[in-house]
Amino acid sequence: MVSSKVRYALPVLFFVVGVWAAIQIIVDVTVAAEASDILSVWAGSAYEDILFVIAVGIPILLVEYMGLSVPLAIVFLVVARNYKRASYEMNIMNIGSEFGGARMIRRAVAPALFSVSTSEFLKGWVRGNVFTLTDLPSELQTLYGPINMQVMYEISLTLIASLLLLVVVLPLFSATWVLNDAGVVTHLKEDKMRIRQCPDMQGVGRWVGNTLGGYALIAFPVAMFLTQFYQPYLVDLRPITPTNLLISFLWILGLPLLVMAFIIPIIVLNELSQKRIRKRITSYAVRLGATVVLKRKVEKVEKPEILVKKKRKEMCEGILEADEVVEIVTSAKGVKTYKRKKNKKRPPKKE
């Protein structure tokens, strides 16, 4: 499954449909606004401004991934190693190798929620410093009505602001992806297992990702409530009708989906770069004292006699290939030997 090209079909379809839908939404707002100038640094119409942002944005995200994901991942490794070193060891687990198309799409959820929720809090600043709102075109006011046209403009502004924020947000999340894919984990030291506490093992990428994702899960519903319900219905006094409420709920679900589509190319590139990036991450983890550990099976004890049987042989199948395991273990032994020699005290000289 890890090498199958079929798994890319669903993410590619999601990307094409999502980008097409985002462009159509923005076109509906900007195509008739030839005189407006959304990006002051670009001399085109509003429609051209948006297409320029989209056309340039995806290559920028790809370049950021190639240049920043590994350095940021190394920073996270160092932080996790020093923060948890009192009770935890850092090692490399030979995790499973399967990662299908649905999981690729789900990987885009957290950064999309993060971008959409943050864009809502910063939209006023973005509008004042990057975007300029001119009078809405009479053609569109006639087509949609003044209220609906204002709603469409705000949604387009949120979408554009979210895409701009991806430039800052996505490198942080992509660093957690490469850590998770490399299998770098922290787990309780052997002596800490004698204490009355549950076994604790967590991927370093997940440890960082939980912090970023936790913010997104809290900020997103707050931002959506303020922009889709409080502002339109309580401040702007938009009529509270079943149709309007349905539209609000649809946009709460739709905006993250549209932003997720723009993240898919970076996720696909991450999948295509697995082995090369994994070697870089694991080699640095080895320098911090990591080596390969195997997954433990969690099994129910159906019969008491199973407890007295000889320990079962653990499987070593996973994402790491045999030569990678040998390379990591050999490197780890070399680093430990070097440190031991370096720390060995020299005998005092005889007078």
Side-chain angles (χ1 to χ4, degrees):
M1 185 65 179
V2 69
S3 60
S4 174
K5 294 182 180 179
V6 178
R7 66 193 181 111
Y8 295 110
L10 184 59
V12 170
L13 178 62
F14 186 90
F15 165 73
V16 172
V17 173
V19 171
W20 177 84
I23 293 176
Q24 291 303 311
I25 291 169
I26 296 169
V27 165
D28 282 345
V29 177
T30 59
V31 69
E34 298 295 339
S36 66
D37 187 18
I38 294 179
L39 289 176
S40 58
V41 297
W42 180 258
S45 65
Y47 173 61
E48 293 169 340
D49 291 342
I50 301 307
L51 292 183
F52 174 78
V53 170
I54 293 174
V56 174
I58 294 178
I60 288 176
L61 293 176
L62 293 172
V63 171
E64 276 194 332
Y65 168 81
M66 292 185 289
L68 295 178
S69 58
V70 173
L72 284 174
I74 292 174
V75 171
F76 293 155
L77 273 180
V78 174
V79 171
R81 178 73 179 90
N82 289 284
Y83 182 78
K84 294 188 168 187
R85 68 186 312 161
S87 300
Y88 290 82
E89 291 183 16
M90 178 182 291
N91 282 308
I92 302 160
M93 176 172 286
N94 196 12
I95 58 176
S97 58
E98 293 189 4
F99 203 83
R103 288 189 175 275
M104 292 186 207
I105 294 175
R106 287 204 296 270
R107 180 167 267 184
V109 172
L113 293 180
F114 194 106
S115 297
V116 173
S117 57
T118 305
S119 72
E120 293 298 337
F121 289 122
L122 298 179
K123 194 164 63 174
W125 180 89
V126 172
R127 182 190 295 136
N129 292 272
V130 180
F131 302 98
T132 55
L133 174 60
T134 58
D135 293 334
L136 297 174
S138 58
E139 298 93 332
L140 293 181
Q141 290 194 39
T142 303
L143 179 62
Y144 292 104
I147 295 179
N148 290 335
M149 189 59 227
Q150 184 65 39
V151 172
M152 291 295 294
Y153 184 87
E154 292 297 325
I155 289 171
S156 298
L157 184 60
T158 299
L159 179 58
I160 297 166
S162 300
L163 297 179
L164 291 176
L165 282 167
L166 277 181
V167 177
V168 178
V169 171
L170 201 55
L172 300 174
F173 282 93
S174 63
T176 67
W177 300 343
V178 299
L179 286 172
N180 286 331
D181 295 337
V184 183
V185 299
T186 56
H187 56 90
L188 283 172
K189 294 180 177 179
E190 192 67 28
D191 60 321
K192 300 298 180 182
M193 294 297 291
R194 293 194 293 267
I195 301 173
R196 188 174 64 239
Q197 58 181 330
C198 296
D200 185 14
M201 177 178 290
Q202 187 179 37
V204 175
R206 183 174 293 277
W207 179 65
V208 178
N210 285 347
T211 302
L212 299 173
Y215 162 79
L217 289 176
I218 295 174
F220 180 74
V222 173
M224 290 298 100
F225 171 76
L226 292 176
T227 57
Q228 297 296 327
F229 293 99
Y230 177 78
Q231 180 68 33
Y233 296 113
L234 299 180
V235 177
D236 298 338
L237 300 179
R238 186 192 307 172
I240 303 177
T241 64
T243 301
N244 286 342
L245 290 175
L246 178 62
I247 292 173
S248 296
F249 279 113
L250 288 176
W251 281 121
I252 290 174
L253 298 175
L255 280 172
L257 291 175
L258 295 176
V259 177
M260 285 168 59
F262 290 86
I263 303 173
I264 294 298
I266 291 79
I267 295 175
V268 171
L269 178 61
N270 178 67
E271 290 299 309
L272 297 174
S273 309
Q274 279 292 294
K275 190 170 182 179
R276 177 179 57 85
I277 292 183
R278 185 168 65 242
K279 281 191 173 184
R280 296 178 63 185
I281 295 297
T282 53
S283 64
Y284 197 88
V286 166
R287 294 171 60 184
L288 295 176
T291 187
V292 174
V293 295
L294 300 178
K295 300 188 296 290
R296 289 188 177 274
K297 291 185 177 181
V298 179
E299 298 179 272
K300 290 183 179 180
V301 179
E302 302 291 351
K303 299 179 181 180
E305 54 266 23
I306 198 173
L307 296 175
V308 297
K309 285 185 177 180
K310 194 173 182 179
K311 184 180 178 181
R312 297 180 178 181
K313 184 178 180 180
E314 294 181 358
M315 299 296 292
C316 59
E317 297 176 355
I319 197 170
L320 297 178
E321 298 176 2
D323 58 340
E324 290 183 272
V325 175
V326 172
E327 181 180 349
I328 292 169
V329 174
T330 304
S331 299
K333 288 181 178 179
V335 170
K336 288 181 180 179
T337 303
Y338 171 76
K339 288 182 177 179
R340 190 161 52 245
K341 288 181 179 180
K342 187 177 180 181
N343 295 333
K344 186 177 181 181
K345 293 183 179 179
R346 294 180 180 179
K349 292 182 180 181
K350 294 183 180 181
E351 296 181 358

